[in-house]
Amino acid sequence: VGCTIVVAVFLFVLIGCFYTPYDPNGMDGSAKNLAPGIKHLFGTDNFGRDILSRVMEGSRTTFFVALCTVLIGSIIGVIIGALTGYYGGWLDEVIMRVNDVITSFPSILLALIFVSVLGIGTFNIILALGIIFIPSFARVVRSEFITYRQRDFVLNAKLMGASDLRIMFLYILPNTFPVLLSSILIGFNNAVLAEAGMSFLGLGVQPPDASLGRMLSESQAYLFQAPWYALAPGCLIVLAVLGIGMVGDEI
């Protein structure tokens, strides 16, 4: 069921990369707040923009931000976790204490701090969220490296003269993939929710560009007049998070 939901959401986003029924930013003063119908399947917003087209573009933006966030967090986190877990000692103590300090703060608060320093915008929200996600990946990879660094195959590789980098990234790292993949899926879900939250607050994607969080923010003034405005982006977020979460639980 989770895979079916993920595939359906992925196809929806993929189609939006190449085709939308209308211009996502195209306004029509005569079609404001139209209910869903044949011409506009998801209805229109307060500017007369087609909500289906906006959701297709917004989902692409939201998931692109989430993907970039997870890539930044996982790549840097894997490197840090591998070094600290493999070598241990003072390097592990120093980096992990810094890691503990960062994780002691709520992630949304840290994101607000980074955005206040870097400024609002899509690129800055990717950078801010990516930095925040580094400690969680570093901790997961570190624990796996501590588990594997004294295994027989690692000791044999050392006796054969393999370099530390080769042992870390060719011998140990592949064994962490199941746990790492589950962490990536959870991280992607968290990144989707974080981007939606930041854009909802007006600190992420800026108008007229669309994102799922931005659409939810714009729709809150029209919940009773045009409830379909919030329904489409909200349902897509729920489906994406639900599907990916179900897949992650089975890994």
Side-chain angles (χ1 to χ4, degrees), residues 32-36 44-46 219-230:
K32 293 181 179 180
N33 294 325
L34 290 181
T44 61
D45 63 12
N46 56 304
S219 67
Q220 61 180 332
Y222 302 91
L223 288 178
F224 296 102
Q225 182 180 355
W228 52 86
Y229 193 176

Side-chain angles (χ1 to χ4, degrees), residues 99-121:
N99 190 85
D100 291 340
V101 170
I102 294 176
T103 54
S104 65
F105 290 93
S107 58
I108 191 67
L109 178 60
L110 282 177
L112 290 173
I113 294 174
F114 280 118
V115 169
S116 66
V117 174
L118 299 173
I120 59 178

